[in-house]
Amino acid sequence: MTRAFNFSAGPATLPEPVLRQAQAEMLDWNGIGASIVEISHRSQDFIAVAAQAEADLRALVGIPDDYAVLFLSGGATTHQALLALNFAAPGQVVDYVVTGHWGKTAIKQARPYCTVNIAADGEAGGFHDIPARDSWRLTSDAAYVHITANETIHGVEFRDTLDVGEVPLFADFSSSIASEPLDVSKYGVIYAGAQKNLGPVGVAVVIIRKDLFERAGQPRADIFDYRSHAERDSMLNTPPTWNWYLAGLVFKWMLAEGGVAEFARRNAVKSSLVYDAIDASGGFYRNEVAPAVRSRMNIPFFLPDDTLNARFVAESKAAGLLALKGHKAVGGIRASLYNALPVEGAQALVDFMRDFQQRNG
Ligand SMILES: *Cc1c(COP(=O)(O)O)cnc(C)c1O
């Protein structure tokens, strides 16, 4: 068996030691005679797995005690709607800064519940840059300001946490959580679907500053209420136990590898390798994002001629480099370099890129 280097944007590559451990524990977890997915979420065994995963994520990301950490189903998109339901009054203004596809999705999910003010929008510039902070038209009494920390499709990443004053900052960190140190205390809410940097699809992590639970929000069922989930340790109903367990293994692996500081180092190495290869290609490869906000996680790039895309994807796949086809909204090629993608994967990609250019340039 050979495992390829997997550049998928999500669901994405997982650490091989984690998959091996899950494989070894598949039929019999910890000697209990059953898989962890075959037992009650209310059993002491699963509660211990769940609590350990939360403790490890808190240690990994540096989440202060005045924040709740929820492990919920639904994916990031569901939470884009729940944020509005939980934290904005009916019709209240919410400020959105749009720097790519997922910012637009977030607005679509919030619109039925509140008045969306697009405080800044990078679309006119093709989402190649983040609108300058002093151009944002923020609302002084907005329920929150929403940003997408890393735009997975357009490859644009906030490199600093920008100050938005008293209004809480809510951030979609789906594709960049735990990829570099993060000052959680600057945010009201941080949320992330697990399937990019944290684990398998099917669970989302929602980190909420606890004072926000005082907000009335909008009429909603208990199951859509973050406070109810927090009061029941994310076990108001059956949580996605397998996904939670597997994410917990990823957290343990990351801590053992040296934590977020080490992954920040690796991610900088990987993304520099690929951007340097693009920039040194004499225009054969093109990335159109402003250098200051280029994503370390997702690198979209273009070939001189779109007819070369299919050849690039087929030949890279044959060379053991998977899932490099660009998203249809942008086209071209996209390399996702999440935490679990090793530095050797990025090196193999740039070696392939140089070889491909020589044969097709
Ligand atoms: C993948 C992604 C989403 C959507 O996640 P789902 O789990 O499919 O709902 C939202 N935001 C960002 C930044 C993403 O990368």
Side-chain angles (χ1 to χ4, degrees), residues 74-78 80 102 148 150 152 172 174-175 193 195-196 201:
T77 311
T78 305
Q80 292 174 339
W102 292 110
T148 310
N150 178 65
T152 318
D172 179 354
S174 290
S175 51
Q195 70 268 29
K196 280 76 183 233
V201 66

Side-chain angles (χ1 to χ4, degrees), residues 72 78 81-83 85-86 113 216-230 236-237:
L72 301 174
T78 305
L82 293 187
L83 290 178
L85 264 181
N86 278 263
Y113 309 113
Q218 318 206 6
R220 60 194 180 275
D222 208 24
I223 198 69
F224 298 143
D225 182 55
Y226 283 131
R227 186 178 187 155
S228 298
H229 284 289
L236 183 61
N237 67 327

Side-chain angles (χ1 to χ4, degrees), residues 101-114:
H101 172 91
W102 292 110
K104 287 170 70 170
T105 309
I107 287 175
K108 195 170 155 199
Q109 300 308 318
R111 258 200 221 285
Y113 309 113
C114 28

